[in-house]
Amino acid sequence: MTTEPEYREGLDQLAAHYKDILGLLGEDPGREGLEKTPLRVAKAMQVLTRGYEMDAHEVLRQALFKEDYSQMVIVKDIDFFSLCEHHMLPFYGKAHVAYIPNGYITGLSKIARVVDIYSHRLQVQERMTLQIKECIEQTLHPLGVMVVVEARHMCMQMRGVEKQNSITTTSDFSGAFNQAKTRQEFMNLLHSK
């Protein structure tokens, strides 16, 4: 059984604005099929932007463990959904994160949670990639971090250039990943089955 999440302050005002938007689009917000739509959309938007209420650094700190392991740790194929801040249309794909510990590791699920937190904000893919890297870097102080994000953008598929099969890839790295050999090791491991 799933329970409804707690919604943030402003839900009713948000729903009222969506009701106005329906009218401005030429719809009748009072018709049966649309009667509950403003509140549904307001709730959906609060869920899709819940990352504003979360501290990604704290998530990592909650599962910080002293460990002498100093080889690459990779969490790949982390599914995410986000909203582009330019059109408020979805972009979605996979994030791949690697870090080389420097005395401390974090719970593997916490890496996925960091991706989730930053993707649940109005975003651009480039900034999201940087934010994930910086969060891990600033909290774990590893020897290096690398993040690769691959995504499809509905703002390119549904409108504008309408290119259905385009994929955008962004990456950011620091520390040991400044060496081409280390980046290549990550990419080889990323594409291995």
Side-chain angles (χ1 to χ4, degrees), residues 4-193:
E4 274 211 12
E6 283 190 35
Y7 295 101
R8 301 189 302 270
E9 191 175 319
L11 184 66
D12 292 334
Q13 295 103 313
L14 196 54
H17 287 295
Y18 280 114
K19 184 175 182 178
D20 290 342
I21 289 169
L22 287 172
L24 290 169
L25 291 174
E27 272 290 354
D28 172 11
R31 77 174 168 85
E32 184 181 10
L34 292 176
E35 198 171 5
K36 295 180 182 177
T37 297
L39 184 58
R40 286 187 194 111
V41 175
K43 286 178 175 181
M45 290 305 290
Q46 283 202 353
V47 168
L48 295 172
T49 61
R50 68 181 181 260
Y52 291 118
E53 302 293 311
M54 300 175 186
D55 182 344
H57 297 270
E58 185 56 33
V59 165
L60 289 179
R61 281 192 290 270
Q62 288 173 358
L64 200 58
F65 308 104
K66 186 152 184 54
E67 191 63 53
D68 289 332
Y69 186 79
S70 60
Q71 298 302 312
M72 198 178 301
V73 176
I74 301 174
V75 182
K76 65 181 186 176
D77 295 331
I78 303 167
D79 292 319
F80 75 88
F81 298 88
S82 192
L83 291 174
C84 113
E85 68 181 33
H86 300 138
H87 303 98
M88 291 179 66
L89 289 172
F91 69 96
Y92 61 95
K94 294 187 182 298
H96 316 285
V97 179
Y99 75 98
I100 300 173
N102 186 18
Y104 289 91
I105 61 170
T106 190
L108 298 175
S109 68
K110 303 308 181 192
I111 300 292
R113 287 282 310 271
V114 168
V115 172
D116 191 49
I117 289 168
Y118 288 116
S119 67
H120 280 82
R121 300 176 180 184
L122 297 181
Q123 277 291 10
V124 294
Q125 183 175 333
E126 297 87 342
R127 182 188 321 114
M128 187 179 89
T129 304
L130 175 67
Q131 288 174 329
I132 294 165
K133 184 211 64 167
E134 286 181 342
C135 177
I136 294 166
E137 190 174 51
Q138 294 166 4
T139 309
L140 299 181
H141 306 288
L143 298 174
V145 181
M146 185 161 179
V147 177
V148 174
V149 176
E150 302 169 305
R152 294 181 181 274
H153 291 252
M154 297 306 285
C155 59
M156 283 184 61
Q157 294 177 321
M158 295 174 66
R159 53 156 306 282
V161 295
E162 295 184 15
K163 299 302 175 206
Q164 306 309 311
N165 298 308
S166 64
I167 296 174
T168 302
T169 302
T170 52
S171 68
D172 201 353
F173 51 87
S174 66
F177 289 96
N178 284 311
Q179 298 174 8
K181 181 180 174 185
T182 309
R183 284 195 310 277
Q184 189 58 52
E185 179 185 348
F186 170 61
M187 296 307 288
N188 290 343
L189 291 168
L190 190 63
H191 297 296
S192 67
K193 297 292 177 202

